[in-house]
Amino acid sequence: WPRGEGPSRPQDTEAIHQSRGRCRDAVKGVAVSVSKSLILPVTAPIDATCPDCRIFQPMEGWYAVTFLVAFGWIGLWSMVVTVVTNRWVVLLGHPSALGFVGLCVVALGAEIPDAINAVTVASRGYGSMAASSCIGSQICNICLGLGVPWSAAAWAGEVPPTSQ
């Protein structure tokens, strides 16, 4: 095309759009396959050990086992995240940063799924449900995240730490 005038025929414009679409699809396909291969070491053991207890599935009655196994996996991955965070703080050489780094990791881990949930629900037209989910998840995070450890410490006979 001379001097940046662009395609002169409508067929040329359509061919350019089709070519861009094929290129975009190819890049998207590669990205999906790479991301699936990266998370496969995590998802494969979880899929193998958690029975599929959805309604009308053969193992529908196994919901208690699924719950307990999922709870165990969450505990394991929480431990992994804690160990990795501790290692990062050790590598930083600043032990007082543990609280800040841990708080950031926990905040990201708790809020990203909540945000995805709220956006998904709101995009389906349930705005009030999205708002309720945001508020409810924060209440659960505070009540469970602070209440359970403090209750466990009190039951063990220790005084929960508070500011002086």
Side-chain angles (χ1 to χ4, degrees):
W1 298 302
R3 296 188 186 136
E5 294 174 4
S8 58
R9 298 178 300 170
Q11 302 93 320
D12 295 340
T13 305
E14 183 63 31
I16 290 172
H17 287 299
Q18 287 177 354
S19 174
R20 285 183 185 162
R22 284 191 301 268
C23 182
R24 205 172 308 128
D25 291 343
V27 169
K28 190 176 184 181
V30 168
V32 167
S33 63
V34 166
S35 64
K36 282 184 179 181
S37 65
L38 287 175
I39 65 169
L40 185 65
V42 174
T43 59
I46 293 172
D47 290 340
T49 57
C50 287
D52 185 6
C53 64
R54 291 179 289 177
I55 296 175
F56 305 122
Q57 295 296 320
M59 301 182 94
E60 180 180 357
W62 288 61
Y63 57 89
V65 174
T66 301
F67 176 76
L68 292 174
V69 171
F71 201 71
W73 279 111
I74 290 170
L76 176 77
W77 287 110
S78 297
M79 186 183 71
V80 169
V81 167
T82 303
V83 169
V84 169
T85 303
N86 279 333
R87 181 67 180 147
W88 286 349
V89 170
V90 167
L91 291 174
L92 283 173
H94 203 276
S96 62
L98 180 60
F100 177 75
V101 174
L103 185 65
C104 290
V105 169
V106 168
L108 284 172
E111 297 313 315
I112 289 173
D114 290 344
I116 292 170
N117 179 32
V119 169
T120 302
V121 170
S123 68
R124 293 181 180 170
Y126 300 107
S128 60
M129 187 184 292
S132 299
S133 173
C134 290
I135 293 168
S137 67
Q138 295 308 312
I139 291 171
C140 287
N141 287 345
I142 291 170
C143 290
L144 293 175
L146 295 176
V148 171
W150 285 356
S151 296
W155 289 330
E158 297 179 19
V159 177
T162 58
S163 62
Q164 300 291 332

